[in-house]
Amino acid sequence: MNLVTVVLVCFIIASVPLCIFSLMLMSGEGAELKKMKELSESGIEVQARLVSLVPFGTRGYAHAVYEFESPGGGTARHQSGATVGPAYVVGDSYPLVHHPENTKRLHMGTMSTVRRERRSRQSSVRGARRTALLSVAAGVLATVGLIVSP
């Protein structure tokens, strides 16, 4: 077994998990991209009021509950994690973008942050697709090289 064969086998072994990881990344980021696309096209920006901030643990994290007006006229609540600090004050308003029909599909931030997040997700999906294709190509070329090498 010479050095060329060892390198080709290493390429084959490395290309399989890299391709699998890229495919998993594409599916997860693709779902988030779909969510961000829907929010950027038809999302409604509202002001959510921080209702409660309950710290838990000793690492500076808290359970935050926001309340905002839903499209039907009632109030809806959103629960998320936050860091304990002067940035979050109970009773203050924070921007929130939600889907018109589904208030559970939301993003904490303004429409510009939704568009920025959408662009970020698009580049992540594009990069994962590129990585998957390159890992498949490397695996195929390494396999052909093993077959052709004496």
Side-chain angles (χ1 to χ4, degrees):
M1 191 175 225
N2 60 10
L3 184 62
V4 173
T5 307
V6 171
V7 169
L8 291 175
V9 168
C10 287
F11 265 100
I12 291 172
I13 291 171
S15 69
V16 172
L18 184 63
C19 183
I20 291 171
F21 176 72
S22 298
L23 293 174
M24 288 185 334
L25 189 64
M26 277 176 28
S27 67
E29 290 290 317
E32 286 296 316
L33 174 63
K34 181 181 175 187
K35 175 183 165 185
M36 288 298 146
K37 184 177 179 182
E38 288 178 2
L39 283 177
S40 69
E41 290 173 353
S42 62
I44 301 169
E45 185 174 341
V46 296
Q47 291 295 317
R49 191 171 56 85
L50 183 59
V51 177
S52 83
L53 187 66
V54 180
F56 62 87
T58 58
R59 298 183 184 250
Y61 296 113
H63 179 76
V65 178
Y66 297 92
E67 195 172 75
F68 61 96
E69 205 168 307
S70 65
T75 59
R77 287 186 172 226
H78 169 64
Q79 301 175 1
S80 69
T83 56
V84 177
Y88 297 101
V89 179
V90 175
D92 282 359
S93 294
Y94 299 93
L96 177 135
V97 177
H98 67 85
H99 196 270
E101 286 90 30
N102 187 3
T103 56
K104 293 191 185 283
R105 182 165 285 194
L106 55 86
H107 178 76
M108 291 298 298
T110 60
M111 286 299 284
S112 65
T113 60
V114 169
R115 287 189 290 273
R116 191 177 317 127
E117 186 74 21
R118 179 182 177 186
R119 281 193 302 271
S120 172
R121 300 288 180 181
Q122 282 175 337
S123 67
S124 296
V125 169
R126 205 175 302 126
R129 186 179 303 133
R130 197 174 299 137
T131 304
L133 289 174
L134 288 175
S135 67
V136 168
V140 167
L141 287 174
T143 304
V144 169
L146 272 178
I147 293 170
V148 172
S149 69

